[in-house]
Amino acid sequence: MAKLVAKVYGDALFAAAKEAGRMDDIYDEVHELLKIFKANEDLQKMLDNPKVIREEKESVIENIFRGRISDEIVELMKLMIAKGRYSQIESVFEYYIGLVKEEKKIGVAHVTTALELTEGQKEEIVKKLLGTTAYESFEMTYAVDKSLIGGMVIRIGDRVVDSSIKTKLYELSKDLRKIQV
């Protein structure tokens, strides 16, 4: 249900931002709001608290954000409060960010390897990804997981390419268990 809420509200915000020609401005604001929400847990707790009445929450949104961020986002937050969906505002913003990145053909890749990669290796991975996808640029994150033994795991969205030795050994052991002697 939460993914559906993020999609519905995120799609609406994206359509409104694109129609107004403000996709990048709203992208920047949403990015900053996510940082603000993560840094101010008390604000999030108050806005998520069912004991705080709707009008009080809307007043807080108005007082803090009106005139500082776009009216579209203020109205979206107030609408989500009115509909009892405010707890999913961060997922809506993250969904919107994803839509903008897709629109701009920016891929987000998470690469996990057994050893730290050199800058040259990282550049080769980016070059390979650009050549095999429709993306024009990538935001890359790298992690090290020694349990992979070797190889790498690349995740872009819901797609995963796993060429790790750990996975190959697991699949080999599964295949060997199927063989009857």
Side-chain angles (χ1 to χ4, degrees), residues 13-14 17-18 20-32 70 73 96-97 99-101 103-104 106:
L13 180 60
F14 182 76
K18 194 170 178 184
R22 302 197 57 240
M23 187 173 65
D24 291 336
D25 295 337
I26 291 179
Y27 175 89
D28 293 340
E29 289 180 3
V30 163
H31 233 291
E32 289 304 311
S70 64
I73 296 176
Y96 175 82
I97 287 169
L99 289 175
V100 172
K101 287 179 181 177
E103 178 80 10
K104 294 177 164 262
I106 301 169

Side-chain angles (χ1 to χ4, degrees), residues 35-53:
K35 289 179 193 173
I36 290 168
F37 291 152
K38 284 177 179 33
N40 294 290
E41 287 182 29
D42 290 340
L43 173 63
Q44 279 300 91
K45 286 179 186 173
M46 190 282 295
L47 292 170
D48 286 339
N49 189 338
K51 293 179 181 173
V52 178
I53 62 170

Side-chain angles (χ1 to χ4, degrees), residues 13-145:
L13 180 60
F14 182 76
K18 194 170 178 184
E19 185 178 309
R22 302 197 57 240
M23 187 173 65
D24 291 336
D25 295 337
I26 291 179
Y27 175 89
D28 293 340
E29 289 180 3
V30 163
H31 233 291
E32 289 304 311
L33 281 169
L34 285 172
K35 289 179 193 173
I36 290 168
F37 291 152
K38 284 177 179 33
N40 294 290
E41 287 182 29
D42 290 340
L43 173 63
Q44 279 300 91
K45 286 179 186 173
M46 190 282 295
L47 292 170
D48 286 339
N49 189 338
K51 293 179 181 173
V52 178
I53 62 170
R54 187 188 91 217
E55 291 80 9
E56 190 174 332
K57 292 177 185 181
E58 289 176 358
S59 175
V60 167
I61 293 294
E62 282 285 336
N63 291 333
I64 294 174
F65 297 111
R66 184 67 75 186
R68 292 183 176 94
I69 62 173
S70 64
D71 291 343
E72 292 94 340
I73 296 176
V74 171
E75 293 304 322
L76 173 70
M77 290 191 292
K78 287 173 57 181
L79 175 66
M80 291 187 73
I81 288 169
K83 298 287 186 183
R85 303 276 191 215
Y86 190 81
S87 64
Q88 286 136 3
I89 192 70
E90 288 183 35
S91 60
V92 169
F93 288 165
E94 287 165 2
Y95 183 84
Y96 175 82
I97 287 169
L99 289 175
V100 172
K101 287 179 181 177
E102 283 295 318
E103 178 80 10
K104 294 177 164 262
K105 297 188 184 296
I106 301 169
V108 178
H110 304 276
V111 178
T112 306
T113 56
L115 301 170
E116 190 73 37
L117 296 173
T118 66
E119 286 306 311
Q121 290 170 321
K122 290 177 181 180
E123 288 172 16
E124 281 299 313
I125 291 170
V126 171
K127 191 187 300 183
K128 185 79 167 176
L129 291 175
L130 289 171
T132 57
T133 66
Y135 295 112
E136 295 173 0
S137 66
F138 272 94
E139 289 181 4
M140 305 292 292
T141 58
Y142 298 94
V144 174
D145 179 355

Side-chain angles (χ1 to χ4, degrees), residues 110-117 142-155 160-170:
H110 304 276
V111 178
T112 306
T113 56
L115 301 170
E116 190 73 37
L117 296 173
Y142 298 94
V144 174
D145 179 355
K146 293 186 184 308
S147 74
L148 296 180
I149 304 168
M152 70 179 68
V153 178
I154 300 174
R155 184 172 57 82
V160 177
V161 177
D162 187 342
S163 65
S164 67
I165 292 174
K166 176 182 177 179
T167 298
K168 289 179 180 176
L169 288 172
Y170 172 76

